[in-house]
Structures are given as structure tokens and as C-alpha cells.
Amino acid sequence: MFAYIIRRLFLIIPTLFAIMVINFGIIQVAPGGPIQQIIAEVKGTAVGATARFTGGGAGEVGGVAGQTQAGAAGDVSSKYRGARGLDPEFIAELEREFGFDKPIPERFIYMMGKFVQLDFGESYFRGRKVVDLVLETMPVSISLGLWTTLLVYLISIPLGIAKAVRDGSRFDVWTSGVIIAGYAIPSFLFAVLLIVLFAGGSYLDWFPLRGLVSDGWGELPWPEKIADYFWHLILPITALVIGGFATLTMLTKNSFLAEIHQQYVITARAKGLTKRRVLYGHVFRNAMLIIIAGFPGAFIGILFTGALLIEVIFSLNGLGLLGYESLINRDYPVIFATLFFFTLLGLVVRLIGDLMYVVVDPRIDFEARRV
């Protein structure tokens, strides 16, 4: 097992490098970019951009652009769309500021060298270190991802087992109706409904609508801190759980149904073993393998991407919202740093998911596998 873990850890390095190369290349050929965002801000045509590059604020950029436009002699052709009429020196200054005066391979090697030193640079448009931005938004994403994944598994696995054991019964039929409704309606619609009902919409005003904790949270005694923390999380987590438990419940049911009809189950029952002993002593570890296989993807999906709309609706500043705004504004340091971190974490969680196979079924021997 130890040798397998070492091989997988070494495999993470080329995998991570390949993912970064592919995404770096895609970003380079994608339309738009930080310089075009600055140009749009200067000319007043920016939509949703929060241009504020490291050399100064948006007002300072506008002032510089005004001077260069006044000094420019006629229109200047440029490789940047919308740059006509701006002084080439201004464009060159922006390229030097963002490092775009260097060839693409050199920029990539420089970036990866910094990442190896855990130096993720500074945001183009926020004027802050990327590490600080990630650490600031991490508590929201971890809270949503951890508690949602935990509750989804705690609800879906027992419910799926109960449905498999009672296949075709009334219980199976009416719970299937609930599951279909949960699968068909997106999480953000449940979130809106919860706000209308319980957060000062048209009916009750029981829960807050903004932030992970209340103002003055640090001054509360620790029992009240815990209560306030969960008070803010009840509605967003409920919306995510309702929209996320359906698939896992049906997967659990179908997995157990497939195992219950296997020959070894019939043989065990014929030997006089109780139904409960057969279910949890033999069927459980075989049926749970496919459930565990999906755990890393489910956790990473909820943690980084699945909660974007929930973060927006409940005004939670998480990693999903940070990544979305960075893509919109072409904030390359934030994009690549979060991609590096997410990919690395995803690969590690994937390894942990594989090791959990052994926990469920010790008969699995990864030493016999070729990675």
C-alpha cells in the first residue's frame, strides 16, 4: 500500500503540470484579457470590469490614458481591440505591468517557478495578494462544501438502503416522488423559496441573508459563536442538500439492489444468516464501493463550483464567486492560482477516495495494480 501511495503522489506532479499547460494555453488564445479590460475601463466601455491594476487605481489609469490620448498623433493601430487612439507607449506600459512583454513560454515557466515557491502573486484588479483572497473566501466554501457533503451522504445512504430493501413498496414509491422533485428543481430555486418563506420575504423573518457570521461575532462567547455560525448556514445548506441528495440516493439504491440479487447473497441466506447480517456483513461493503468512488468528485464539485449561485443569493463571499469574478475580469493571477490549488486538492482527494476502498473492503490490494 505504501508503494502505491508513493507512486500516486509522484503521478500528481506531471498530471498537475499538464493541466496547467493546457489551461494556460486556452487562456492565452481566449478573447479579452486584462489589458483589454483596462482599455475598456479607460474608454468607458467596460461591462462589469473592476479595473484597478497594480500600478494604480482606475482613476489613475484614466488620467494617464487621457494624457496619452491627448498626445497621440492620430489613430494608432494595435493588436488590442479598442486601443485605437491610445498612445503606443501607454499600451507598452500596460504590457510591462502585466508581464505581457515576454514570450508565452517564458511567462508560463516564470509562473510555475513562483507556484513551486508558493508565491501566487497579486490580483490585477483587487490590489491584494492572491493567497489573502483565497484564505478570506475559503471559510465560506469549506463550510458549504463540508456540511453539504456530510448531510447528503448521511441522508442518501440510509435512504437508498431503505429503498432497496423495500423495493416496490409504498415507502419506495412516495420517497421516489420526493427524490424526483428534488432532482428536477435546481438548488437556487429552493434557495429563493427558502428566502421568501423564512428570511424576510413574504412570510417569516427567522434567518439572516448576508454573510457567514453576524457583526460582532468575535466578541460572542463560544456557544453563541457556534449557534450564530449555523444560524447563517441553515438556509444555504438546506438548498444545496435538497438539490443534491437525489442522485446519490438512487445510486445507493441501485447499487444495493444489484448486490442483493447476487448468488452469494442467496447462499448466505440459505445458510441461515439473518437478513440484517447478510445486508451489513456482505452486501454493504460491495455495494458501497461505487458510492465511495463518487465521493471526491461530489466533494470538490460542491466545494468549488456547485455553490456559486447559492453564494450569490445569500451574499456569501466564497471561492466560487471569487473564481467567477476573476474569469469575468480576466484576473489571471487569481485564475491560475485557484486552478493550481483546486487541481492539486482534487488530485489529493482522489487519492484519499481510492484509499477509502481499502477501508470498506480490505480484500482490495492496490499493490497488484499498475498506476
Side-chain angles (χ1 to χ4, degrees):
M1 177 59 68
F2 180 75
Y4 171 77
I5 295 175
I6 295 299
R7 290 199 302 270
R8 285 293 299 271
L9 289 175
F10 277 111
L11 186 62
I12 286 176
I13 298 175
T15 304
L16 179 62
F17 182 81
I19 291 174
M20 294 300 297
V21 168
I22 293 171
N23 283 275
F24 189 87
I26 292 173
I27 290 293
Q28 301 308 310
V29 299
I35 293 181
Q36 287 184 319
Q37 292 282 9
I38 295 288
I39 292 171
E41 184 76 11
V42 167
K43 292 200 166 187
T45 60
V47 178
T50 55
R52 185 164 57 87
F53 74 115
T54 54
E60 181 179 341
V61 175
V64 173
Q67 296 174 7
T68 54
Q69 279 183 296
D75 292 336
V76 180
S77 60
S78 173
K79 60 183 178 181
Y80 299 105
R81 187 175 61 181
R84 184 175 295 274
L86 296 179
D87 193 330
E89 286 299 322
F90 174 63
I91 303 299
E93 180 186 345
L94 289 178
E95 288 185 330
R96 287 192 297 270
E97 180 71 28
F98 291 114
F100 290 170
D101 57 333
K102 301 179 178 63
I104 291 178
E106 184 178 342
R107 296 206 308 265
F108 177 77
I109 294 173
Y110 177 80
M111 181 188 73
M112 293 303 297
K114 288 291 186 180
F115 283 5
V116 170
Q117 304 173 41
L118 300 181
D119 180 2
F120 299 103
E122 186 172 303
S123 168
Y124 287 159
F125 302 108
R126 296 173 185 258
R128 297 178 57 190
K129 291 184 177 180
V130 174
V131 173
D132 294 338
L133 291 172
V134 171
L135 292 178
E136 182 181 292
T137 55
M138 185 71 75
V140 170
S141 294
I142 290 179
S143 296
L144 293 177
L146 177 63
W147 296 117
T148 300
T149 305
L150 181 63
L151 287 175
V152 165
Y153 271 75
L154 288 177
I155 294 172
S156 299
I157 292 176
L159 181 58
I161 295 174
K163 286 175 64 63
V165 173
R166 299 173 177 84
D167 185 38
S169 66
R170 273 189 182 179
F171 173 81
D172 183 39
V173 172
W174 73 261
T175 52
S176 293
V178 175
I179 289 171
I180 290 172
Y183 182 79
I185 303 176
S187 297
F188 71 89
L189 288 183
F190 277 116
V192 173
L193 176 62
L194 291 172
I195 289 174
V196 171
L197 294 177
F198 302 111
S202 301
Y203 298 94
L204 304 174
D205 190 7
W206 288 354
F207 298 99
L209 272 178
R210 181 177 297 275
L212 190 61
V213 293
S214 301
D215 295 335
W217 180 81
E219 301 173 0
L220 299 174
W222 69 265
E224 294 184 22
K225 285 183 178 180
I226 296 175
D228 183 81
Y229 168 73
F230 283 108
W231 182 47
H232 283 74
L233 283 176
I234 286 176
L235 292 189
I237 289 179
T238 300
L240 287 170
V241 169
I242 290 175
F245 82 102
T247 302
L248 184 61
T249 300
M250 295 308 298
L251 178 63
T252 303
K253 176 191 174 181
N254 294 332
S255 179
F256 272 80
L257 277 178
E259 291 297 326
I260 286 173
H261 294 95
Q262 293 294 324
Q263 184 63 43
Y264 73 89
V265 175
I266 300 173
T267 303
R269 292 297 301 275
K271 290 181 178 180
L273 295 180
T274 64
K275 188 175 182 179
R276 184 179 182 84
R277 177 73 181 276
V278 173
L279 182 64
Y280 291 102
H282 295 76
V283 174
F284 184 82
R285 64 182 181 183
N286 292 326
M288 284 299 295
L289 290 177
I290 192 172
I291 311 301
I292 291 174
F295 175 80
F299 179 75
I300 295 299
I302 294 174
L303 185 61
F304 298 124
T305 60
L308 171 59
L309 291 176
I310 300 299
E311 290 176 10
V312 173
I313 292 172
F314 290 99
S315 300
L316 296 169
N317 187 24
L319 286 170
L321 188 59
L322 174 66
Y324 174 75
E325 290 179 346
S326 301
L327 285 171
I328 293 297
N329 291 319
R330 301 298 193 271
D331 198 344
Y332 289 170
V334 179
I335 292 174
F336 290 122
T338 52
L339 174 66
F340 179 86
F341 176 74
F342 295 168
T343 304
L344 179 61
L345 183 60
L347 292 172
V348 172
V349 171
R350 181 74 182 184
L351 173 59
I352 294 173
D354 287 348
L355 297 180
M356 288 177 65
Y357 279 118
V358 181
V359 175
V360 177
D361 190 349
R363 296 172 300 173
I364 296 177
D365 182 14
F366 283 109
E367 294 295 342
R369 291 182 56 188
R370 292 285 184 181
V371 180

